[in-house]
Amino acid sequence: MSIYSQEIEQTLGSHPGVHDAVAVALKHEIYQDILVCAVVLEKNSEATADDLLAFARARLGASTLYRVVILDDIPRNERGKPVLAELNKILLAFLGRSTTLGRKEAVRPHTVSLPAGGQQLRVKIHFSFTMPEEPDMVALDRWINGVLGNDLKTDCVDSFPGDRSVPASVRQWLWCCLQLCRLLLQVGRVPFFDPPVIIACSPKSLDSKKWRAVAELALIDDFPKDMYDAALQSSFSLAAWAMMHEPAGKNLEYFFKMVQERVVKPLSKVLPVGKSTYPVLKEVHQNGIPFQHLGGGVFQLGWGANARRMDRSTTEKDSAMGAKLSHRKVLATRLLGSAGLPAAVHSVVKTYENALEAARQIGWPVVIKPADRDRGEGVSVDISDERALKSAFKHALKVSQVRQVIVEQQVPGVCHRLFVANGKLLYAVKRYPMSVTGDGKKSVEELVAYEYERQQRKPPWRRTEIQPLDQRALDTIKAAGFSVLSVPEEGVLVPLRPIESTQWGGVDEEVTDRVHPENLATALDAAKLFSLYVAGIDIISTDISIPWYENGAIINEVNYAPLFGGGEISKRHIPVFLREFMAGDGRIPVNVLVGGEGALQASFRLWKALLSKEVRAFLTNERQTFDSSGKPVHMPFISLYQRIRALTLSSKVEAMVIAVQTDEFLYSGLPLEYVDSITFCDAQLASFREQNKPLSAENLDAMNLLLAGWKKV
């Protein structure tokens, strides 16, 4: 047997990707005597265990070697000889698992319960981690569930199907760190909704605290793999720190700072997702609507003819010209007035002298704001004299990039946001400035301090914009008839800022049922004037239930890409928006036929049957694609995965018929989240990597397993 082992070692040692090889005969309670070879790869080698096994069998015979196991190192003594007792234990530990740790394992169907809703495509990640001494999982749970609000309750036991050789402490640690990774990506607004799936886990060596693992995470198109790696590394390091510290005080500040620096900032550079995108996609996923990232923060919801596209709250139906006009306040106001809609009376100036002249002509009080800024930046209200005007003008001019300032007639009332979609009112809110609510016991000063401290205990991405008392707050409190020592009655709002703005925050009250029909008609006319499918129409009114022409209300702004899903009121209306915006779940019928020539012929028959019903169906395998007129669709690649993904982007495609004739999906992963039907015509699948070569029994079984979980139940 030793000579035979040497032949295996010499054969595998001759492979250019192998640095070291040791073959042993193992006695196993299930397999009995089996030949296994442990190998260490050369640096940067891409060889897999399957590649090396095929290499050896081709030279030594098909039944000579049972398995190749890739290790980081082979235990040897001082003389360089293998420590067989230790090596045997390592190899037996590998053979006890139902999955291997080759570098390119087949993508497997989900083995963990999914949350209600959709299912995302996944990407396989290989990584290593260090197991801490006696990890305090209770302390870590306080951070993951208590601070970050984990919504994933799947037990770690479900993440290791059929594998109990990994110690419970390692399983729990790995699962918690993967949950933390998912939460960190969500903090960075990455639409990572499905739970992680652990494929394999094993020690690097028996006496080491280092482990290596393979896991599948939700796939986001055009999202760099190194960002997954960075999030994983951050999750393990933050978890190791968190379990040693209580979630309070400076520990919270440090933790949030690390999350911002290590995850949020890097993510914002590679995936520019707006504030509205994440809550919308979360609802999309819960409704079982597939989505994919097209780049630049633009997402497609659904497939083919039923697909729609969104960027933040905007859609492909919004006018680019309308967006341009709405961004320029002066042009927007002029257009509103020209169309006979109630618009602000204002003047654009460049000097203080011009601002003073405009204020006198318009009449005090006035509003001063930069001509080119949003979010309430640089805005001053209640300007009633020259001294206040000079200060407000200076502030607005400083933040204006075009060095222009708007002097606007101040209209009495409060801003009301009417969120319009597809020519209908989705919801309306009355937008109060940032305030505290009285309880009949605490003073204003105590209310502000209490609320500020409460918000500071939350993650920064979940806090309101409330700040400690400053001079602006003191002036606003005084103007409202209070002082810091006042004890407001229960339910009474005490404003801390003169107006609501994105910069200062605010408090919303839903008034959808109070909007007067004339005010609604005006808002809908404004959205249509700017050719916007989605628009936020801001009306300043003392009472939104009274027609604008009776109380002097005006349209203050027409907002392109208004914030959607930022507050609880807004979130409640996302499902209603999607029902109007999408055709069902956005999917098109997809039928899959698996096999060789028989599958292709069956695909043609099904395709023609769909065409006879006037369905614009497309047919494809890895080499050919046909449109609904029967003409070939030429594509620059031989890949069923890429062709299917391409068809999802075409509005011409009402249905797909797919002939799966190779094992490509074992390497690429599945191209769609799920399909309507799968028909196994025969077992004549071919190898994708080795053209015209029949598929091995092992890969055929893997394909059957993969495809069996593809059909939506």
Side-chain angles (χ1 to χ4, degrees), residues 107 122 142 155 165 175 209 292 394 537 565 652 656 668:
V107 179
R122 291 166 289 150
R142 286 197 289 268
D155 191 276
S165 58
W175 179 237
K209 298 177 183 177
Q292 56 184 303
K394 183 179 179 181
I537 310 299
K652 301 176 182 178
M656 269 192 263
S668 66

Side-chain angles (χ1 to χ4, degrees), residues 561-583:
L563 181 61
F564 193 24
E568 292 305 315
I569 295 173
S570 185
K571 286 178 183 177
R572 290 201 300 267
H573 291 86
I574 296 178
V576 180
F577 170 84
L578 290 175
R579 286 196 293 271
E580 179 77 24
F581 183 55
M582 300 295 302

Side-chain angles (χ1 to χ4, degrees), residues 131-322:
M131 187 64 194
E133 293 280 357
E134 300 181 1
D136 188 342
M137 303 310 301
V138 175
L140 183 57
D141 182 75
R142 286 197 289 268
W143 286 90
I144 293 178
N145 293 304
V147 176
L148 296 178
N150 183 30
D151 63 340
L152 197 57
K153 304 303 180 185
T154 308
D155 191 276
C156 74
V157 173
D158 297 331
S159 302
F160 286 80
D163 187 353
R164 294 295 178 269
S165 58
V166 178
S169 59
V170 176
R171 282 186 275 145
Q172 189 67 30
W173 175 254
L174 175 57
W175 179 237
C176 284
C177 289
L178 285 174
Q179 290 183 76
L180 179 57
C181 176
R182 173 177 176 265
L183 292 170
L184 293 179
L185 289 170
Q186 289 180 350
V187 169
R189 299 179 191 161
V190 178
F192 186 168
F193 303 120
D194 281 359
V197 177
I198 300 170
I199 302 300
C201 177
S202 69
K204 284 193 170 183
S205 63
L206 291 181
D207 60 349
S208 174
K209 298 177 183 177
K210 294 186 178 297
W211 292 71
R212 59 178 181 168
V214 183
E216 289 179 346
L217 308 180
L219 171 66
I220 308 300
D221 301 89
D222 200 35
F223 186 64
K225 180 180 176 298
D226 58 2
M227 292 308 302
Y228 284 105
D229 296 335
L232 276 169
Q233 293 174 9
S234 296
S235 67
F236 281 103
S237 62
L238 284 172
W241 178 89
M243 71 176 185
M244 303 293 292
H245 298 82
E246 284 292 322
K250 292 185 177 180
N251 291 339
L252 285 172
E253 294 179 15
Y254 175 81
F255 184 84
F256 296 149
K257 180 181 179 182
M258 290 300 99
V259 171
Q260 293 283 350
E261 292 181 355
R262 297 183 185 182
V263 181
V264 177
K265 288 182 180 179
L267 284 176
S268 66
K269 297 177 182 178
V270 298
L271 191 65
V273 175
K275 289 183 178 180
S276 301
T277 303
Y278 184 84
V280 170
L281 290 179
K282 186 174 183 179
E283 188 65 34
V284 163
H285 179 260
Q286 290 176 348
N287 281 271
I289 301 171
F291 63 88
Q292 56 184 303
H293 182 224
L294 304 182
V298 178
F299 285 82
Q300 175 169 301
L301 318 182
W303 305 327
N306 289 340
R308 299 291 181 267
R309 293 178 180 178
M310 291 192 72
D311 175 12
R312 298 159 292 166
S313 64
T314 68
T315 77
E316 79 276 11
K317 298 182 179 183
D318 287 298
S319 162
M321 288 182 285

Side-chain angles (χ1 to χ4, degrees), residues 4 33 41 46 73 166 265 290 438 467 480 503 536 583 596 627 631 669 672 697 709:
Y4 199 58
D33 290 345
L41 299 179
E46 291 295 324
D73 57 75
V166 178
K265 288 182 180 179
Q467 298 295 320
Q503 181 184 16
D627 67 14
K631 295 180 180 179
L672 301 174

Side-chain angles (χ1 to χ4, degrees), residues 518-699:
E518 289 291 339
N519 294 333
L520 174 57
T522 299
L524 298 181
D525 286 344
K528 189 174 183 179
L529 177 65
F530 286 78
S531 299
L532 296 179
Y533 181 90
V534 171
I537 310 299
D538 289 345
I539 297 179
I540 296 180
S541 174
T542 54
D543 188 343
I544 199 66
S545 66
I546 296 176
W548 63 268
Y549 49 78
E550 291 185 8
N551 63 4
I554 62 166
I555 296 178
N556 186 48
E557 286 187 359
V558 175
N559 294 277
Y560 171 80
L563 181 61
F564 193 24
E568 292 305 315
I569 295 173
S570 185
K571 286 178 183 177
R572 290 201 300 267
H573 291 86
I574 296 178
V576 180
F577 170 84
L578 290 175
R579 286 196 293 271
E580 179 77 24
F581 183 55
M582 300 295 302
D585 62 5
R587 298 190 307 121
I588 58 175
V590 179
N591 298 282
V592 177
L593 297 99
V594 185
E597 184 62 26
L600 184 61
Q601 295 304 318
S603 299
F604 270 101
R605 290 193 294 271
L606 177 57
W607 174 56
K608 290 178 180 178
L610 290 172
L611 295 181
S612 68
K613 298 177 182 178
E614 298 185 350
V615 176
R616 289 186 297 166
F618 280 53
L619 167 67
T620 189
N621 66 3
E622 78 280 2
R623 292 179 173 272
Q624 300 179 90
T625 302
F626 297 92
D627 67 14
S628 57
S629 69
K631 295 180 180 179
V633 178
H634 300 287
M635 296 188 188
F637 32 70
I638 300 175
S639 166
L640 183 56
Y641 180 95
Q642 289 180 283
R643 285 173 179 262
I644 293 171
R645 297 297 283 175
L647 291 179
T648 65
L649 300 177
S650 173
S651 61
K652 301 176 182 178
V653 183
E654 292 181 344
M656 269 192 263
V657 178
I658 300 170
V660 177
Q661 298 184 277
T662 76
D663 62 346
E664 177 186 351
F665 294 162
L666 293 181
Y667 310 101
S668 66
L670 295 172
L672 301 174
E673 290 80 354
Y674 33 71
V675 296
D676 293 278
S677 71
I678 301 177
T679 303
F680 293 88
C681 299
D682 56 55
Q684 304 303 313
L685 290 175
S687 170
F688 178 71
R689 291 184 168 179
E690 300 178 74
Q691 297 297 320
N692 301 319
K693 184 177 179 181
L695 201 60
S696 67
E698 184 179 1
N699 276 20

